[in-house]
Amino acid sequence: MPRASNARQRRPRKTRLWLRRAVQGVTLLVAAWLLYCAGSAVYLFSSLPAAGLHPGRPSMVYAFDGSEIGPLTGDVYRVPVDLGELPEYLPRAFVASEDRRFYQHPGVDLRGIARALLTNLRARSIVEGGSTITQQVVKNTFLTPRQTLTRKVQEAVLALLLETRYEKDDILSLYLNQLYMGHGTYGVGAAAQIYFNKDARDLTLVEAATLAGIAPAPESFSPLRDPEAARERRDLVLDRMVAAGYLTPEEADAEKARPLNVVQGELELNNPYPWYMDEVRAELLERYGLDPQVVALMGLEIHTGLDPAMQQAAEERLAARIFPAPPPAAWRRPSRRWTPARARCGPWWAAASTPPAAA
């Protein structure tokens, strides 16, 4: 009997010991995973310049002699804008729509996450996100669009780090210059051109609210494709501006009564010497770990060894080899296509009815 009771006592001890070791193992794995997420986030963050961002001034590329080649915007439609030149209701519309507590939180808004979770549970669908503007900047700057738990932790760590180095207005300016606005455009400067055919500094309150409204899904809410959906999103942004204290209910109602007045504009790509510029972007990424989309908005001066005359001649020579022009008509060989006898000699009855030549 004593032996049986001792065996029963050992079993709970072994079970507790196994559980304790399992908990310790899981804790170590979670700690290692969190350290990996934090370490990788710090490594990615180290690529940003400590001197500050200049999203309203594009990074310019210069030739070997100091002459200006052009902006490093690449093959995208982008019109950089300075936050100080925009009407104050334009950034306010985006803040009210995307991140009402942008100027209060440190980069991650736990209250906003809880509010979004409750809103989505009540609606039984995802109708509101919990990401802050800083987190969206981080996602567009450093991370891939894959939705994984590791990426979300990296996003949170990077957002906290970004807020420690840069001012709120710098982060907001970067956000307004880099977000996708539909139809191949990036940033509110290009969106103002393509949707209203005007500079961003000249946008009205209704137009600013429209851009803020279509930003979450620009292809679906585009006023060029679905004006009614764009109008509903505009009115939603105006209501959020009232809730944020930027407008009175009377002002919002007056703006809702205004038409959209969409005027489609056109944009031209500014991408000189595309092959050489691609190599510049590749070297920036390989040597310094700088993403080209981020570099384009840093306001950097990038000096290269490009000789514009030689590069132009090389590109023309390459284009001539790849797409050779047809030879002049005088140099072309006669056609050897087969043609029917009737086409060559005429109809047989015409030859039979021709009178003989006079002797």
Side-chain angles (χ1 to χ4, degrees):
M1 292 296 294
R3 292 180 180 177
S5 62
N6 290 337
R8 283 195 295 269
Q9 290 176 358
R10 289 195 199 99
R11 288 173 189 168
R13 291 178 182 174
K14 289 183 178 180
T15 303
R16 286 195 296 270
L17 180 62
W18 182 85
L19 286 175
R20 187 182 306 150
R21 289 178 178 175
V23 171
Q24 290 174 349
V26 171
T27 303
L28 287 174
L29 287 175
V30 171
W33 171 68
L34 290 175
L35 284 174
Y36 163 76
C37 294
S40 59
V42 172
Y43 173 76
L44 291 170
F45 183 72
S46 63
S47 65
L48 284 179
L53 298 172
H54 304 282
R57 188 174 73 239
S59 295
M60 300 300 297
V61 181
Y62 296 87
F64 79 102
D65 57 356
S67 61
E68 185 179 290
I69 300 173
L72 195 74
T73 52
D75 54 348
V76 297
Y77 295 106
R78 191 193 302 274
V79 181
V81 295
D82 190 346
L83 188 64
E85 298 178 356
L86 299 176
E88 63 178 8
Y89 47 73
L90 177 56
R92 284 181 175 182
F94 280 87
V95 170
S97 176
E98 297 295 315
D99 186 5
R100 191 188 308 174
R101 299 186 65 251
F102 173 69
Y103 287 100
Q104 285 78 44
H105 62 68
V108 178
D109 188 10
L110 297 179
R111 188 187 303 178
I113 294 174
R115 183 183 64 252
L117 181 61
L118 289 176
T119 302
N120 294 335
L121 287 175
R122 290 170 182 168
R124 296 184 180 180
S125 64
I126 300 178
V127 297
E128 184 177 342
S131 295
T132 64
I133 285 178
T134 309
Q135 287 176 274
Q136 294 183 54
V137 169
V138 163
K139 179 176 65 176
N140 295 331
T141 303
F142 299 103
L143 305 174
T144 64
R146 292 180 57 191
Q147 296 287 344
T148 63
L149 188 58
T150 298
R151 204 217 68 173
K152 293 300 291 184
V153 175
Q154 291 173 332
E155 180 183 297
V157 174
L158 283 166
L160 295 172
L161 291 173
L162 199 68
E163 294 263 359
T164 61
R165 178 176 293 186
Y166 302 112
E167 299 292 333
K168 286 283 189 178
D169 285 346
D170 291 336
I171 296 172
L172 181 58
S173 184
L174 185 59
Y175 170 75
L176 293 176
N177 275 284
Q178 72 173 188
L179 79 164
Y180 181 66
M181 293 298 294
H183 303 282
T185 61
Y186 288 82
V188 295
Q193 293 282 350
I194 201 68
Y195 292 121
F196 303 108
N197 197 27
K198 61 173 63 176
D199 292 337
R201 65 173 66 91
D202 299 325
L203 289 172
T204 65
L205 175 55
V206 169
E207 294 164 346
T210 302
L211 294 185
I214 69 175
E219 300 294 353
S220 300
F221 302 138
S222 168
L224 299 177
R225 293 177 177 172
D226 193 342
E228 188 57 34
R231 188 191 309 275
E232 292 177 0
R233 292 293 305 177
R234 177 203 67 180
D235 294 348
L236 177 61
V237 171
L238 291 171
D239 290 337
R240 290 180 176 177
M241 293 182 74
V242 172
Y246 295 140
L247 293 176
T248 64
E250 293 75 20
E251 290 172 334
D253 291 338
E255 296 298 326
K256 289 179 184 179
R258 300 181 187 275
L260 283 179
N261 290 331
V262 177
V263 180
Q264 184 173 359
E266 294 183 358
L267 290 170
E268 294 183 1
L269 286 176
N270 188 3
N271 192 25
Y273 311 114
W275 285 295
Y276 194 92
M277 299 290 260
D278 284 344
E279 288 300 316
V280 171
R281 297 184 192 96
E283 187 168 344
L284 286 168
L285 181 61
E286 180 180 356
R287 180 179 295 188
Y288 303 105
L290 295 173
D291 185 88
Q293 296 296 333
V294 183
V295 176
L297 298 174
M298 284 183 178
L300 302 180
E301 292 185 359
I302 304 168
H303 294 268
T304 69
L306 174 69
D307 185 328
M310 292 184 64
Q311 184 68 24
Q312 183 67 29
E315 291 188 6
E316 291 176 356
R317 188 72 178 270
L318 180 61
R321 293 291 299 273
I322 298 176
F323 307 106
W331 296 355
R332 293 176 188 165
R333 294 179 179 178
S335 174
R336 296 184 178 228
R337 274 187 318 180
W338 175 84
T339 55
R342 184 175 299 177
R344 295 198 302 267
C345 305
W348 63 271
W349 60 84
S353 62
T354 303

